[in-house]
Amino acid sequence: MSAVPVPPSSQRWLLPVLVVVVSLMVGGGLLAREVYRLPESTPDAVIALPSSTARPAAEQPGPGTVELTPDAAAHPQHAVISQLLQTYFDAINSRDYDQWKTTVTRARIQAKPRASWLEDYDSTKDGSILVYRIDAVTATDLRVLVGFTSIQDPTAAPAELPDATCVHWKLGLPVALEQGHWRVDAVAGYTTPEMSRC
């Protein structure tokens, strides 16, 4: 006659102890990963803060380099948007319509043909360009809050500031994903720009 073996009592607690040990190891590994994680790298962008000091008239409109606040630089698309706006403003400052067309949507190109664009920007020079924020509206639509200074012939001044030769602007630029590329979209009807004399 054969006896049925009785499982030793030590096997009953082996599985719960094993679960606890594995859980502690996983938790410890996750904690160590957080503690020893390398700090995030600084974005590859020109970081600046809004300046409260006025630039002398002889130095207006300021440098043509697009700068970002830390808030804007934290956005995942900051590098693409910074490069887009740099090309956009460079095109305006060099009166290069063909270059400008590479930065805007088809709708904006149709609304602003070459002759009209050249007339509008004939005497314009933009500088002191600062991106304050980049906000995602949808996966294909961003809003970029940007401030800049523009100098121009007094006859080209905005109607709200007649005869102004230097204007500080702050506006929300709509930026849309078109054919796989971010492009500045039409501003009219979307936002009311803030403007003041320098």
Side-chain angles (χ1 to χ4, degrees):
M1 177 166 141
S2 64
V4 177
V6 176
S9 62
S10 63
Q11 288 183 353
R12 281 188 228 137
W13 57 264
L14 182 59
L15 185 59
V17 168
L18 189 57
V19 168
V20 169
V21 169
V22 169
S23 297
L24 288 173
M25 289 174 60
V26 169
L30 292 173
L31 180 62
R33 184 181 76 175
E34 290 302 314
V35 170
Y36 295 107
R37 176 181 285 178
L38 293 174
E40 292 182 17
S41 61
T42 306
D44 185 21
V46 180
I47 308 294
L49 294 173
S51 174
S52 58
T53 58
R55 189 179 298 276
E59 296 178 18
Q60 296 290 5
T65 304
V66 172
E67 298 179 321
L68 306 173
T69 64
D71 184 40
H75 192 277
Q77 297 291 341
H78 78 273
V80 174
I81 298 306
S82 177
Q83 184 56 55
L84 171 69
L85 294 181
Q86 188 66 66
T87 305
Y88 176 85
F89 283 105
D90 286 348
I92 290 171
N93 288 338
S94 61
R95 316 288 183 273
D96 189 339
Y97 181 75
D98 291 328
Q99 182 182 29
W100 178 81
K101 283 174 37 176
T102 69
T103 67
V104 297
T105 59
R106 289 186 305 264
R108 188 137 185 216
I109 293 168
Q110 290 173 353
K112 190 65 73 174
R114 182 183 303 270
S116 173
W117 186 88
L118 289 171
E119 181 179 336
D120 286 352
Y121 293 108
D122 179 52
S123 63
T124 301
K125 184 163 180 65
D126 295 328
S128 303
I129 307 153
L130 180 62
V131 177
Y132 289 88
R133 288 186 57 84
I134 303 170
D135 293 314
V137 178
T138 68
T140 60
D141 190 20
L142 301 174
R143 293 296 178 262
V144 180
L145 181 60
V146 61
F148 61 96
T149 300
S150 178
I151 58 172
Q152 68 281 316
D153 188 277
T155 60
E160 297 85 352
L161 299 173
D163 300 322
T165 57
C166 183
V167 178
H168 295 304
W169 295 88
K170 193 171 186 182
L171 65 143
L173 280 178
V175 176
L177 194 60
E178 187 175 85
Q179 295 182 331
H181 300 283
W182 290 105
R183 299 286 184 251
V184 178
D185 205 355
V187 178
Y190 162 70
T191 183
T192 303
E194 296 177 24
M195 63 187 89
S196 61
R197 291 177 190 269
C198 300

